[in-house]
Amino acid sequence: MNGQPATPIRKRAYYQGTREPPELVREYFRRLGTVALVLDLGCGAGGLARAAPSGVRVIGVDHDSGALELAGRLGRVLAWDAGTGRRLPFPRDRFDAVVARDVLEHLDHPWDTVRELRAVLRPGGLVLASVPMARPRVVWNDYTHRRGFTRAAIRMLFLDAGFDVVRVDRMGPLPLLTRLGLIRTAPWLLRLPVLNQCWATSWEVLACKP
């Protein structure tokens, strides 16, 4: 070691391996309802913008240059590091919705970021966020994770930030659901003990700014 600061990893391969299936993105927009302007926090390769419905504008933010390069081919993106504690570079009460898929588990202080999401949402706006369950095989299968969440913990995180929590669902890659167009059934199927144990990997929270 020469005492110099470590060079940030430019994780293009990482993001290319974590693209959201278009069917999942369509399900996100179904849950969000009628929206015109959406913030994609931790936009990765830009999967949300790629599959957004016609007439919906998606603005992506990420701290990684590899992600921004990939997502920038699909729409507007901005560099922003949630770990710095700085404000998002947008007016207050600006967005109809925020999607924060697999972001909060990477942060030392996720509560600061959730409060910032509330600030940029318009009153009545929704945030849809997913986080890994607090199961070792889920949390530590990604070298960038800092934590996992229980259902109670993710719910409390959003309540303490001033949101009304609409629902917290189990999610996971159940075989064939994407291909058969049955993603919306996943939260109910994953309540079954055997399926929950084998396939449930994340909590998906839908919350509203009062």
Side-chain angles (χ1 to χ4, degrees):
M1 297 296 291
N2 58 12
Q4 296 298 317
T7 301
I9 299 174
R10 193 166 178 267
K11 304 188 292 290
R12 287 194 64 186
Y14 175 91
Y15 288 108
Q16 287 174 333
T18 55
R19 291 179 175 173
E20 303 91 340
E23 296 84 1
L24 179 61
V25 175
R26 286 194 285 270
E27 176 62 13
Y28 288 166
F29 281 105
R30 187 191 70 82
R31 295 186 184 188
L32 293 175
T34 302
V35 292
L37 183 62
V38 178
L39 175 63
D40 185 6
L41 184 75
C43 61
L48 196 72
R50 180 183 292 106
S54 176
V56 177
R57 183 185 180 199
V58 177
I59 299 178
V61 295
D62 208 292
H63 75 285
D64 184 86
S65 60
L68 294 171
E69 179 182 337
L70 291 167
R73 302 169 186 171
L74 302 168
R76 185 186 176 195
V77 296
L78 294 173
W80 185 72
D81 188 347
T84 63
R86 291 182 295 188
R87 286 173 48 155
L88 278 162
F90 303 107
R92 309 291 89 174
D93 303 325
R94 178 74 175 95
F95 291 91
D96 300 314
V98 176
V99 174
R101 182 177 183 268
D102 302 336
V103 173
L104 301 176
E105 64 270 20
H106 300 275
L107 306 177
D108 288 326
H109 303 103
W111 41 90
D112 292 336
T113 298
V114 175
R115 284 195 293 266
E116 188 61 14
L117 298 184
R118 186 184 186 280
V120 300
L121 273 173
R122 63 167 175 78
L126 296 171
V127 58
L128 181 65
S130 63
V131 294
M133 290 180 170
R135 296 176 172 176
R137 65 179 174 83
V138 177
V139 178
W140 307 123
N141 196 41
D142 186 323
Y143 69 87
T144 65
H145 285 176
R146 304 287 182 89
R147 68 183 73 228
F149 291 83
T150 64
R151 187 180 191 277
I154 191 61
R155 184 175 184 275
M156 193 180 307
L157 176 62
F158 278 84
L159 289 174
D160 282 348
F163 282 95
D164 293 332
V165 175
V166 179
R167 56 193 293 179
V168 180
D169 292 319
R170 293 175 176 85
M171 290 296 289
L174 276 167
L176 298 180
L177 286 191
T178 298
R179 184 178 302 176
L180 296 174
L182 298 174
I183 287 179
R184 70 180 59 182
T185 68
W188 289 272
L189 292 174
L190 289 171
R191 293 177 185 176
L192 300 173
V194 173
L195 295 182
N196 172 46
Q197 186 61 38
C198 294
W199 297 105
T201 58
S202 62
W203 297 111
E204 186 174 278
V205 57
L206 181 66
C208 178
K209 177 178 177 177

